[in-house]
Amino acid sequence: QLLANVGNLANLETVKISHGRADYVCQPRSAYRLAEALEAKKVDVALDFVAAAGHSDTEPGLVDSMIKHSDAIRDLLQKKPNS
């Protein structure tokens, strides 16, 4: 559904994606296709494929990736002037 509506996300400055390589519920190629579609819309995308991780957001590698991405978004927001 995200891929079908990627145009609605084109106004985002950046998107961070953490995805397990062994995710058989949402296969890694879906995350790759989403990243490619966002990049085609000029959205800055960081895509992390996490080895030995599946679909669960509690797997250590995915947790590390999500923390890294959350920290990057926090840093980006802190640099923006108050509106």
Side-chain angles (χ1 to χ4, degrees):
Q1 189 171 3
L2 284 173
L3 193 55
N5 295 302
V6 75
N8 295 336
L9 305 174
N11 64 329
L12 297 175
E13 183 174 333
T14 187
V15 172
K16 312 293 187 188
I17 303 171
S18 301
H19 200 95
R21 283 198 183 273
D23 186 338
Y24 298 107
V25 176
C26 299
Q27 295 188 357
R29 71 174 173 243
S30 298
Y32 179 79
R33 288 178 182 159
L34 178 59
E36 292 253 302
L38 287 165
E39 288 172 345
K41 299 288 184 183
K42 308 298 184 211
V43 176
D44 177 53
V45 178
L47 173 58
D48 279 352
F49 284 116
V50 180
H55 191 71
S56 175
D57 63 357
T58 60
E59 296 184 54
L62 282 175
V63 170
D64 293 343
S65 178
M66 289 184 289
I67 289 171
K68 178 181 82 171
H69 284 158
S70 296
D71 288 348
I73 291 169
R74 178 204 58 216
D75 295 345
L76 179 68
L77 292 173
Q78 287 177 344
K79 290 179 186 176
K80 289 188 174 283
N82 292 336
S83 303

